[in-house]
C-alpha cells in the first residue's frame, strides 16, 4: 500500500513539473497560446473559416509543445539546470530534448494586430477591425484577437495599359494567361504574382532593364457592389531604357579567368574570334566547340531570360569550371544593344581519388573494396572527361553455409565523355543540361575460392541527355558484354549435377545490342505532398544480327567467333510514389514490373540479364535470390547461395518512414512479389508464368531503423515472411505460425538486413 501511495505522489510531482510554470520569472507568465474570434455577419461561413485558418498561422510566437496539457520540453530544460559546455549529456538534455519556456512578455499584441489586419485587407476584407486582449490563469497567460470582418471584395474588371507604347501593347497581349480572374476575391498576393509574371514575359522579349516594380496597380472600389476594378499601368518614373527591348551585340568569353584579378586587368590580346563570340584566353585551354554547344545567345539575338539562364546552367553542368560568372553591359556606341561577358574559372585539369569501402550484403558476406580513380577534365581541349579507375575487393562469410567460399574481385574501367553529341548528324538540345556522349571499356575478374572464376568484358557507346531537371534519357547505341569462366572445380561440377541451373552461371555469354532508359522524377520537390519516380528501360540483344544470320533454332545456335550470342528483348519499369505526411513522416511505395523474352538464337535469357528477387532492397523477409521462380522450391542440398532466376518479375513495396529522434528514423514495411519463367522447365515445376500468378506471391513484413548522417544512411531491418508461395496449396500463409519466443521459428524466419542507403 505504501508503495502505491509513493507512486501516486511521485506521479503528481512529475506532472506538476511538466506543466512548465515552475521556474517562470516573477512578474511574467507562461504563454499558452491565443484565441482567434472571427465576427462578420456580412461574410459567409466558408469565407470566415478560410480566413481564420490563414490568420491563425500568422500569430507569433508559437507556444511550447504540449502533450495532454503537459510540457515535457520545459521539464527537461529546467531539469538540465545551468549548462556551461556546448556539448555533453546536459547540453543535449537542455537544448535537444528540452525546450525553453515561451513567456508572455515575448508576445507583441500590437504587432500581431497589425499583421492580422494587413492580411485580412490583402485578402479583400477592406476596413477590417482587430481588437486585442489577454487573460491570465495562475502563472499562464493567453492572448485573444477579435477580428471584425466587413464585406469581402471581388474583381469586377481587370484593365491593362492602353497607351501607344510597344511595351504596353505587349503587356496587354499577356492578359489571356493572367493569374487574375474576374469574379474571384481580391488577393494582393495574386496581384504581386501577376506583376512578376508580366515581368518574366517581358524578359523573354528583350526588356532586360524592366522589373515588376515599374508596374503600378490601382484599385477602384467605387465601380460596383463590393467589387473592384484593377488598373495595371506603367509608373510615370519608369526609366526609358526599361521600356525598350535590347539585343545582344558582342559575346566575350574569358575561359581562363583568374578570380583573384579584376576583370579590367585580364589580358585581352589573346582573342579567338568566332562568328558569334570571342574567346579570351592566352593559354587556349578550350576549343570554340565547347562554347558553341553551351551558349544559347548568338550575335543579334533579342535578349531572352530563358536563354540567359540556360547558358549559365549548361556552363555549370559542363563539369569543367569551378566558378561561372555572367554580366551584361549596355553598348555605349549603339543604342539598345548589350554586350555579354562570361567569366569562367577552370577546375584543376587532373585529379586522383582513393576510396576504401566497407561492404556487406544479405547473404552475410562482408568485405572491403579499394578504388583508385584518375580523371582528366579537359583531355582534348573540348571539356572531355577521361576517367580511369582500378579496383580490388574481398568478400567473406564469417559464419554460415558459405563459410570458406570467399569472393575476390579486381578490374578496371576506362571511359571518355564528350559534352556534346558525337554523331553523323548534327544534334542540339534546348535543355539547360549539356548532352553527353560516352564511350566505356570495362574488365572484371571474379574468383570464388573452391568454385570457379569469371572474366567479364564490357564495352558501350551511347548518349545521355536531359530535357530538364526531371526528365533524363540514356541511349547506348551498342552495349557489348562477354563473359567466360575458367578454373571450375570438381566440387562445383558435382553441384551442377544436383542442380543443373548452376551451369548457366559459368556458361560463355555474348550479349550485344542497343539499350535505352527514360527517367522521370520530381522527388527533389520536398515540399510537395505527392512526389514520383519513374524509370522505364528496354534492352535488345542481337535482333538485327539474328535476323541476318537466320538464327531461329536455340538448340542449334549461331555463333560469333565461336561463341553463341544471346537474342532477346527485355523491358522493365520501376514506379515509386512518396506521400509526404508532414513532420518528417513519409509513406514510400514502389512497384517493379519486368519481362524478358528470349527468341531466335536463345531459349532463355542470359544469366546476368535474368530477374532475381529477395534481399536487402527487395523482399526483405527472404534472402537474396531465394524466391521462385513461381512456386518452385529447390530441395537439393545446395552448398552455395540460392540461384533462383526468372524471365518475368513483379514486385511491390510500401514503407512508412518516421523520424524517431534527430538522425534516427524508423520504418514499418510490407514487401511482396515473385519471378517466373516464360517457358516450361521440367526441372522447375511450378515456375512458368500463368494466369494464376497473383496467387503465387511471396509476402513479408518487418520493421527497421535508418541512421541518417546526411552523407551516409546506415539501414537495419528485421523482417519475417507472411506468405511462402512454395508451400503446399492452402498452406502458403504462415501468419498463424509467427512466434517470436520460439528460437527455431526465429532461426528459420527472422531475417536481419544490414545495408547502405534507403531501399528505394
Amino acid at each position: 500500500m505504501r508503495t502505491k501511495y509513493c507512486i501516486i505522489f511521485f506521479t503528481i510531482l512529475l506532472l506538476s513539473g511538466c506543466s512548465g510554470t515552475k521556474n517562470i520569472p516573477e512578474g511574467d507568465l507562461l504563454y499558452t497560446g491565443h484565441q482567434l474570434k472571427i465576427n462578420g455577419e456580412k461574410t459567409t461561413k466558408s469565407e470566415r473559416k478560410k480566413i481564420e485558418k490563414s490568420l491563425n498561422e500568422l500569430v507569433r510566437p508559437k507556444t511550447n509543445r504540449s502533450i495532454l496539457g503537459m510540457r515535457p520540453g520545459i521539464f527537461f530544460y529546467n531539469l538540465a539546470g545551468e549548462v556551461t559546455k556546448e556539448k555533453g549529456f546536459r547540453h543535449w538534455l537542455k537544448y535537444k530534448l528540452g525546450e525553453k519556456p515561451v513567456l508572455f512578455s515575448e508576445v507583441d499584441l500590437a504587432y500581431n494586430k497589425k499583421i492580422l489586419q494587413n492580411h485580412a485587407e490583402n485578402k479583400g476584407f477592406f476596413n477590417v477591425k482587430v481588437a486585442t486582449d489577454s487573460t491570465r490563469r495562475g502563472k499562464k497567460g493567453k492572448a485573444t484577437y477579435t477580428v471584425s470582418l466587413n464585406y469581402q471584395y471581388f474583381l469586377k474588371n481587370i484593365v491593362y495599359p492602353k497607351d501607344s507604347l510597344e511595351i504596353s501593347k505587349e503587356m496587354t497581349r499577356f492578359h489571356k494567361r493572367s493569374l487574375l480572374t474576374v469574379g474571384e476575391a481580391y488577393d494582393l498576393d495574386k496581384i504581386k504574382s501577376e506583376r512578376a509574371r508580366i515581368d518574366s514575359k517581358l524578359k523573354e522579349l528583350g526588356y532586360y532593364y524592366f522589373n515588376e516594380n515599374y508596374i503600378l496597380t490601382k484599385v477602384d472600389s467605387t465601380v460596383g457592389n463590393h467589387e473592384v476594378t484593377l488598373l495595371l499601368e506603367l509608373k510615370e518614373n519608369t526609366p526609358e531604357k526599361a521600356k525598350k527591348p535590347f539585343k545582344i551585340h558582342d559575346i566575350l568569353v574569358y575561359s581562363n579567368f583568374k578570380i583573384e584579378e579584376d576583370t579590367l586587368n585580364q589580358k585581352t590580346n589573346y582573342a579567338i574570334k568566332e562568328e558569334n563570340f570571342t574567346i579570351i584566353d592566352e593559354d587556349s585551354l578550350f576549343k570554340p566547340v565547347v562554347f558553341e554547344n553551351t551558349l544559347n545567345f548568338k550575335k543579334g539575338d533579342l535578349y531572352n531570360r530563358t536563354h540567359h539562364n540556360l547558358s549559365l546552367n549548361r556552363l555549370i553542368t559542363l563539369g569543367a569550371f569551378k566558378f561561372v560568372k555572367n554580366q551584361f553591359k549596355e553598348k555605349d556606341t549603339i543604342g539598345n544593344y548589350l554586350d555579354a561577358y562570361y567569366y569562367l574559372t577552370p577546375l584543376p585539369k587532373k585529379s586522383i581519388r582513393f576510396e576504401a569501402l566497407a561492404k556487406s550484403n544479405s547473404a552475410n558476406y562482408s568485405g572491403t573494396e579499394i578504388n583508385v580513380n584518375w580523371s582528366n577534365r579537359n583531355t582534348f581541349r573540348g571539356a572531355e572527361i577521361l576517367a580511369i579507375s582500378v579496383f580490388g575487393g574481398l568478400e567473406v562469410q564469417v559464419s554460415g553455409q558459405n563459410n570458406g567460399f570467399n569472393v575476390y574481385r579486381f578490374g578496371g574501367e576506362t571511359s571518355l565523355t564528350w559534352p556534346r553529341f558525337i554523331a553523323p548528324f548534327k544534334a542540339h538540345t534546348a535543355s539547360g543540361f549539356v548532352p553527353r556522349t560516352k564511350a566505356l571499356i570495362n574488365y572484371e575478374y571474379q574468383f570464388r575460392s573452391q568454385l570457379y572464376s569469371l572474366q567479364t568484358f564490357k564495352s558501350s557507346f551511347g548518349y545521355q541527355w536531359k530535357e530538364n531537371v526531371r526528365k533524363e534519357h540514356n541511349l547506348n547505341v551498342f552495349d557489348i558484354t562477354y563473359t567466360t569462366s575458367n578454373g571450375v572445380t570438381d566440387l562445383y561440377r558435382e553441384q551442377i549435377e544436383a542442380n543443373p541451373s548452376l551451369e548457366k552461371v559459368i556458361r560463355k555469354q555474348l550479349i550485344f545490342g542497343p539499350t535505352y532508359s527514360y527517367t522521370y522524377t520530381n522527388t527533389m520537390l520536398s515540399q510537395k505532398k505527392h512526389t514520383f519516380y519513374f524509370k522505364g528501360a528496354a534492352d535488345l540483344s542481337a535482333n538485327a544480327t539474328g535476323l541476318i544470320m537466320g538464327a531461329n533454332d536455340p538448340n542449334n545456335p549461331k555463333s560469333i567467333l565461336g561463341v553463341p550470342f544471346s537474342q532477346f528483348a527485355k523491358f522493365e519499369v520501376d514506379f515509386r510514389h512518396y506521400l509526404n505526411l508532414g513532420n518528417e513522416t513519409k509513406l514510400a511505395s514502389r512497384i517493379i514490373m519486368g519481362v524478358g523474352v528470349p527468341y531466335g538464337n536463345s531459349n532463355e535469357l542470359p544469366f546476368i540479364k535474368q530477374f532475381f528477387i529477395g534481399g536487402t532492397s527487395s523482399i526483405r523477409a527472404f534472402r537474396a535470390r531465394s524466391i521462385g521462380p513461381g512456386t518452385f522450391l529447390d530441395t537439393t542440398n545446395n552448398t552455395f547461395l540460392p540461384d533462383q532466376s526468372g524471365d518475368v518479375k513483379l514486385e511491390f513495396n510500401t514503407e512508412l518512414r518516421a523520424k524517431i529522434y534527430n538522425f534516427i528514423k524508423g520504418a514499418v514495411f510490407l514487401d511482396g512479389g515473385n519471378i517466373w519463367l516464360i517457358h516450361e522447365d521440367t526441372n522447375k515445376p511450378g515456375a512458368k508464368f500463368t494466369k494464376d500468378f497473383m496467387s503465387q506471391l511471396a509476402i513479408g513484413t518487418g520493421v527497421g531503423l535508418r541512421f541518417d548522417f546526411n552523407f551516409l544512411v546506415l539501414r537495419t531491418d528485421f523482417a519475417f515472411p507472411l506468405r511462402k508461395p512454395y508451400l503446399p496449396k492452402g498452406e502458403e500463409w504462415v501468419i498463424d505460425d509467427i512466434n517470436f519466443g520460439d528460437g527455431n521459428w526465429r532461426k528459420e524466419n527472422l531475417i536481419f538486413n544490414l545495408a547502405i542507403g534507403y531501399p528505394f
Side-chain angles (χ1 to χ4, degrees):
M1 183 66 72
R2 182 178 298 176
T3 302
K4 178 180 177 181
Y5 286 129
C6 287
I7 293 173
I8 294 173
F9 172 76
F10 282 111
T11 301
I12 294 172
L13 187 66
L14 178 63
L15 290 175
S16 64
C18 285
S19 67
T21 60
K22 183 178 179 182
N23 295 323
I24 298 299
E26 189 67 32
D28 211 335
L29 303 171
L30 177 68
Y31 176 58
T32 59
H34 70 274
Q35 182 182 10
L36 184 64
K37 299 178 180 178
I38 305 293
N39 297 329
E41 296 179 357
K42 300 173 182 178
T43 57
T44 65
K45 185 177 180 180
S46 62
E47 289 170 350
R48 292 195 298 271
K49 189 174 182 180
K50 186 177 180 180
I51 193 68
E52 180 180 5
K53 181 180 179 181
S54 60
L55 291 175
N56 266 317
E57 295 173 353
L58 297 172
V59 178
R60 294 292 183 272
K62 296 292 186 181
T63 62
N64 294 106
R65 288 170 292 182
S66 64
I67 303 173
L68 300 176
M70 298 179 293
R71 296 171 178 80
I74 299 177
F75 171 76
F76 291 117
Y77 181 89
N78 293 331
L79 182 65
E82 190 72 23
V83 176
T84 56
K85 297 181 180 179
E86 294 186 359
K87 57 183 179 179
F89 175 74
R90 290 182 65 187
H91 183 273
W92 172 84
L93 183 67
K94 190 177 186 75
Y95 296 107
K96 296 294 183 181
L97 196 59
E99 192 177 36
K100 184 181 178 181
V102 179
L103 304 177
F104 196 82
S105 58
E106 301 173 32
V107 180
D108 190 335
L109 293 174
Y111 174 79
N112 281 333
K113 174 183 177 180
K114 185 177 179 180
I115 291 295
L116 296 177
Q117 187 170 345
N118 287 343
H119 182 77
E121 291 190 346
N122 291 343
K123 295 301 179 183
F125 296 96
F126 300 151
N127 303 316
V128 67
K129 294 181 180 179
V130 180
T132 63
D133 199 358
S134 61
T135 57
R136 172 175 180 167
R137 186 176 181 181
K139 288 188 176 182
K140 301 176 183 178
K142 179 177 280 191
T144 302
Y145 304 94
T146 303
V147 181
S148 299
L149 300 175
N150 210 322
Y151 289 107
Q152 187 174 23
Y153 280 70
F154 294 82
L155 302 182
K156 182 179 181 180
N157 198 11
I158 304 163
V159 181
Y160 288 82
K162 293 185 177 181
D163 56 62
S164 59
L165 292 175
E166 187 61 32
I167 188 173
S168 297
K169 295 177 182 177
E170 295 290 0
M171 292 172 63
T172 302
R173 294 188 187 105
F174 298 155
H175 80 279
K176 292 182 179 180
R177 296 185 179 273
S178 175
L179 302 177
L180 304 173
T181 305
V182 172
E184 69 178 8
Y186 173 92
D187 189 331
L188 183 61
D189 291 331
K190 273 197 173 182
I191 294 173
K192 290 180 178 179
S193 297
E194 174 64 5
R195 291 170 59 202
R197 186 188 72 90
I198 292 173
D199 174 51
S200 178
K201 289 289 186 181
L202 290 172
K203 288 292 196 300
E204 299 298 298
L205 299 175
Y207 292 89
Y208 176 77
Y209 289 101
F210 191 84
N211 72 66
E212 60 192 80
N213 293 323
Y214 295 148
I215 301 175
L216 178 65
T217 305
K218 294 182 178 180
V219 181
D220 185 356
S221 59
T222 65
V223 295
N225 186 22
H226 313 303
E227 294 176 312
V228 299
T229 291
L230 293 183
L231 297 95
L232 281 72
E233 57 187 44
L234 293 177
K235 291 182 179 179
E236 293 183 0
N237 61 349
T238 301
E240 285 302 313
K241 64 181 180 181
K243 301 176 185 177
K244 298 176 181 178
F246 279 74
K247 291 184 177 182
I248 302 299
H249 195 264
D250 292 328
I251 302 173
L252 292 92
V253 180
Y254 292 80
S255 59
N256 191 15
F257 181 72
K258 305 296 190 299
I259 198 167
E260 65 274 5
E261 297 181 18
D262 188 272
T263 57
L264 296 176
N265 295 327
Q266 302 286 323
K267 296 180 180 180
T268 58
N269 53 327
Y270 295 92
I272 302 173
K273 295 199 174 192
E274 295 294 314
E275 180 181 355
N276 291 299
F277 55 85
T278 300
I279 304 172
I280 299 170
D281 178 7
E282 61 179 304
D283 299 319
S284 297
L285 289 184
F286 296 92
K287 293 178 181 178
V289 67
V290 175
F291 308 108
E292 289 174 3
N293 291 297
T294 52
L295 299 179
N296 282 57
F297 284 123
K298 291 182 174 58
K299 193 170 184 177
D301 282 355
L302 203 63
Y303 170 81
N304 180 295
R305 178 185 276 176
T306 297
H307 288 175
H308 176 180
N309 292 333
L310 287 179
S311 297
L312 288 176
N313 201 60
R314 289 165 77 94
L315 286 168
I316 292 169
T317 59
L318 201 59
F321 300 107
K322 186 176 183 180
F323 299 108
V324 175
K325 181 182 177 183
N326 173 227
Q327 191 175 17
F328 290 90
K329 296 179 182 178
E330 189 173 355
K331 193 77 173 178
D332 295 332
T333 56
I334 308 175
N336 301 339
Y337 274 89
L338 299 170
D339 286 339
Y341 296 81
Y342 293 91
Y343 305 103
L344 313 175
T345 303
L347 284 161
K349 184 176 181 180
K350 298 176 182 178
S351 66
I352 189 167
R353 186 176 75 253
F354 297 87
E355 295 177 338
L357 307 175
K359 302 175 67 177
S360 65
N361 60 35
S362 61
N364 268 345
Y365 270 92
S366 301
T368 60
E369 183 173 292
I370 304 296
N371 292 286
V372 181
N373 305 285
W374 178 87
S375 62
N376 185 324
R377 288 190 178 86
N378 191 27
T379 310
F380 305 115
R381 295 176 46 238
E384 303 90 354
I385 299 177
L386 174 65
I388 300 174
S389 64
V390 293
F391 64 88
L394 165 66
E395 296 176 9
V396 301
Q397 191 178 80
V398 178
S399 62
Q401 64 179 3
N402 294 291
N403 185 20
F405 298 101
N406 300 339
V407 180
Y408 301 87
R409 298 171 56 250
F410 68 84
E413 180 177 289
T414 300
S415 66
L416 180 61
T417 304
W418 294 266
R420 53 193 173 275
F421 285 137
I422 304 297
F425 53 88
K426 192 171 183 179
H428 180 76
T429 69
S431 165
F433 298 87
V434 176
R436 300 183 186 278
T437 303
K438 185 174 183 178
L440 178 146
I441 298 175
N442 175 284
Y443 168 78
E444 179 179 328
Y445 181 86
Q446 183 183 112
F447 172 65
R448 287 183 173 264
S449 60
Q450 305 182 53
L451 303 177
Y452 57 82
S453 62
L454 291 176
Q455 294 186 79
T456 303
F457 301 86
K458 292 183 180 180
S459 180
S460 65
F461 180 88
Y463 307 102
Q464 303 166 350
W465 71 98
K466 283 188 174 184
E467 294 182 46
N468 50 49
V469 71
R470 302 182 185 185
K471 303 175 183 179
E472 182 175 357
H473 303 261
N474 194 319
L475 170 65
N476 281 333
V477 179
F478 71 81
D479 195 334
I480 302 173
T481 302
Y482 172 68
T483 302
T484 184
S485 63
N486 53 46
V488 181
T489 66
D490 293 337
L491 175 61
Y492 193 74
R493 294 189 186 281
E494 290 174 5
Q495 293 296 319
I496 292 176
E497 291 180 7
N499 185 357
S501 67
L502 292 175
E503 188 271 335
K504 62 186 176 184
V505 177
I506 59 173
R507 188 182 302 163
K508 282 187 178 182
Q509 297 175 3
L510 176 60
I511 307 166
F512 58 92
T515 62
Y516 170 77
S517 67
Y518 168 78
T519 304
Y520 171 88
T521 180
N522 66 347
T523 53
M524 71 290 293
L525 305 176
S526 57
Q527 300 304 314
K528 288 181 68 69
K529 187 170 184 179
H530 298 275
T531 55
F532 304 90
Y533 170 92
F534 170 83
K535 182 175 183 179
D539 189 348
L540 307 175
S541 177
N543 294 276
T545 305
L547 183 64
I548 293 171
M549 298 182 67
N552 56 13
D553 183 4
N555 296 317
N556 186 25
K558 303 291 184 180
S559 300
I560 296 179
L561 299 178
V563 181
F565 59 85
S566 298
Q567 191 174 4
F568 63 86
K570 179 183 175 183
F571 305 93
E572 186 173 9
V573 295
D574 180 345
F575 177 77
R576 307 172 192 180
H577 173 254
Y578 301 91
L579 175 61
N580 186 3
L581 300 173
N583 297 322
E584 298 193 53
T585 301
K586 181 181 292 185
L587 180 65
S589 303
R590 174 180 69 176
I591 183 168
I592 298 175
M593 295 182 290
V595 59
V597 182
Y599 65 96
N601 213 47
S602 304
N603 56 15
E604 64 179 2
L605 291 178
F607 177 72
I608 60 175
K609 294 293 184 177
Q610 288 186 308
F611 295 107
F612 303 92
I613 202 165
T616 57
S617 296
S618 182
I619 304 179
R620 286 158 279 186
F622 297 83
R623 293 294 186 191
R625 304 186 176 189
S626 65
I627 305 173
T631 60
F632 171 72
L633 175 63
D634 185 2
T635 57
T636 61
N637 186 19
N638 191 356
T639 310
F640 317 115
L641 279 177
D643 177 30
Q644 295 166 226
S645 56
D647 308 317
V648 180
K649 179 178 181 178
L650 173 63
E651 180 182 338
F652 59 87
N653 318 83
T654 187
E655 180 172 287
L656 181 64
R657 303 167 183 168
K659 182 177 180 179
I660 297 176
Y661 171 75
N662 203 357
F663 62 89
I664 304 175
K665 299 178 181 178
V668 179
F669 54 84
L670 179 71
D671 305 319
N674 207 333
I675 54 174
W676 296 267
L677 298 179
I678 287 286
H679 303 299
E680 192 79 49
D681 186 341
T682 56
N683 295 317
K684 295 182 178 181
K688 186 180 178 181
F689 183 78
T690 68
K691 61 181 178 59
D692 299 321
F693 71 95
M694 288 299 292
S695 64
Q696 299 175 352
L697 300 180
I699 300 175
T701 188
V703 297
L705 294 175
R706 287 89 176 90
F707 301 90
D708 192 340
F709 303 104
N710 292 325
F711 64 92
L712 171 71
V713 176
L714 181 65
R715 173 164 56 91
T716 61
D717 290 321
F718 279 98
F720 55 92
L722 299 177
R723 191 177 192 279
K724 300 178 180 179
Y726 46 78
L727 292 181
K729 191 171 183 180
E731 300 178 17
E732 298 95 332
W733 289 98
V734 293
I735 299 175
D736 293 339
D737 299 334
I738 296 173
N739 186 354
F740 292 101
D742 186 341
N744 290 328
W745 181 89
R746 293 197 305 272
K747 183 178 180 180
E748 293 180 8
N749 296 277
L750 195 59
I751 304 294
F752 173 70
N753 294 292
L754 177 66
I756 303 297
Y758 289 99
F760 56 91

